[in-house]
Amino acid sequence: MGDLIITNGDTAADLLRQAGRGGTILPWRDVLHEGPIVGGALEACSRRRVSYLTQRFGLPEAEIAEGFAERDGIMRAHAGYDRIELWFEHDLFDQLQLLQVLAFFADAERSDGLVLVQADDFLGRQRADTILTFGERARDITAIDLDIARRAWLDVAAPTPEAAARRAEIAEPRFPFLPPALRRFLEELPAPGNGLGRTEATALDDIHAGEGNPVRLFHDLIHQEEAAFMGDWSFFRLLDDLAFCDVPLIAGLPPPSPADDNTGRFREAALELTMAGEEVLAGEEDHVELSGLDRWWGGTRLAGRNVWRYDRGARRLLPPT
């Protein structure tokens, strides 16, 4: 059947095709830093992911389920490919995808013909005449790599973030981008004092400074990241969470409408902090205590007002009390 290339999304896949790479190119279309992660069989995780993505982004369930089933079917047919190349970047988005893919091959006991290309820049920002330069860094994947990735994937999928937090503090020469990606993931947990994750805090800071347009807020956010990982729709959903919780922290965002695709309300909105938003940003109130949470961090469900937190300054995980 020839070669299989697995990469982080459609943009990178299209660039690889334009660069002349043949065979099957499989984009891994999932935002694993959002919503529940399930360890074990790939299909079990896919079922949970389909349900989450459908609800979170208002996507058609049948279409998402079909895409995941096609992707998982290609993975199950891996024995038909002599060479399988994994092309992934340094950021959180890609590192979680890479762990999931390698955990699959670990369970399948397949290392022969597996090759890893770890890019320290964004594949989607390349051109067809530059993207293949990352291939010069390709290395064979070993059984040791698969074992590390499988254990790391199970750490992220665990019902508490403790194992992932420990792994984030250990240098991993074979996967040098993994520890910083996990630390960045931990920073999305609520902070002590104000209950905000890093992206939420950045958004409120920028709104407080006078930037009220969600599209420009997103671009400002990307420029402040060491390794940007979040897409615009994930960011817009986060703004919805801050605007339509029990005690809203931002005002000026029209509510979602089932009658349209909701893109216009983000382009045209003029956001400002509520009084509660000002107090939370100043550390005088706590977002989690005010409104509670119901969201996932990997395999950890953050529910209610007594949840896991992460002190970003001390790099310390704080359990529910």
Side-chain angles (χ1 to χ4, degrees), residues 24-308:
T24 300
I25 302 181
L26 177 63
W28 205 261
R29 304 183 185 105
D30 200 358
V31 286
L32 291 164
H33 57 82
E34 275 203 61
I37 287 176
V38 178
L42 179 62
E43 291 81 1
C45 191
S46 292
R47 286 191 293 271
R48 288 295 299 278
R49 298 297 301 166
V50 167
S51 176
Y52 172 78
L53 295 170
T54 298
Q55 185 217 10
R56 181 66 168 166
F57 297 106
L59 300 170
E61 183 171 4
E63 181 179 322
I64 301 302
E66 182 181 359
F68 272 69
E70 180 181 358
R71 180 198 75 178
D72 296 351
I74 292 172
M75 295 294 286
R76 290 294 172 194
H78 67 88
Y81 298 96
D82 297 324
R83 179 181 173 90
I84 301 176
E85 297 180 14
L86 311 184
W87 287 62
F88 289 95
E89 299 163 5
H90 56 314
D91 61 87
L92 172 61
F93 181 92
D94 280 46
Q95 290 296 297
L96 292 179
Q97 291 181 336
L98 177 60
L99 289 184
Q100 186 177 28
V101 171
L102 290 174
F104 169 86
F105 286 118
D107 290 341
E109 300 182 348
R110 164 78 187 264
S111 60
D112 291 346
L114 295 186
V115 175
L116 176 60
V117 177
Q118 292 198 95
D120 59 359
D121 197 359
F122 298 101
L123 297 173
R125 295 182 185 174
Q126 305 305 309
R127 304 186 308 271
D129 62 343
T130 64
I131 191 168
L132 294 184
T133 59
F134 292 111
E136 298 169 4
R137 310 176 189 184
R139 67 171 180 85
D140 292 338
I141 294 171
T142 68
I144 294 173
D145 295 319
L146 296 181
D147 182 62
I148 292 169
R150 181 184 59 82
R151 287 187 284 111
W153 177 248
L154 292 176
D155 287 347
V156 174
T160 78
E162 295 166 286
R166 289 192 294 270
R167 186 173 293 278
E169 296 302 324
I170 301 172
E172 184 48 73
R174 302 192 69 80
F175 298 100
F177 306 126
L178 179 58
L182 291 177
R183 289 195 294 272
R184 182 62 189 87
F185 197 19
L186 289 162
E187 291 178 344
E188 288 302 287
L189 289 169
N194 63 15
L196 297 173
R198 176 172 157 181
T199 302
E200 293 171 326
T202 300
L204 293 192
D205 271 329
D206 285 356
I207 295 170
H208 178 74
E211 180 52 79
N213 179 264
V215 176
R216 291 195 295 271
L217 281 171
F218 172 69
H219 289 296
D220 288 346
L221 169 76
I222 294 302
H223 290 311
Q224 294 181 56
E225 290 283 353
E226 298 87 352
F229 66 92
M230 185 175 288
D232 55 355
W233 275 108
S234 292
F235 179 69
F236 293 157
R237 292 281 82 78
L238 179 146
L239 294 179
D240 275 338
D241 293 341
L242 295 174
F244 303 111
C245 51
D246 289 350
V247 181
L249 303 189
I250 60 176
L253 185 62
S257 170
D260 58 45
D261 64 4
N262 292 303
T263 56
R265 69 190 183 95
F266 292 105
R267 286 196 303 267
E268 300 163 8
L271 306 182
E272 59 184 9
L273 297 186
T274 63
M275 182 178 295
E278 296 278 3
E279 292 170 344
V280 167
L281 188 60
E284 298 167 359
E285 291 286 356
D286 188 285
H287 174 49
V288 176
E289 293 178 2
L290 289 174
S291 293
L293 292 179
D294 189 3
R295 71 171 188 246
W296 292 85
W297 185 96
T300 302
R301 187 174 184 182
L302 306 173
R305 289 170 167 79
N306 187 21
V307 300
W308 288 92

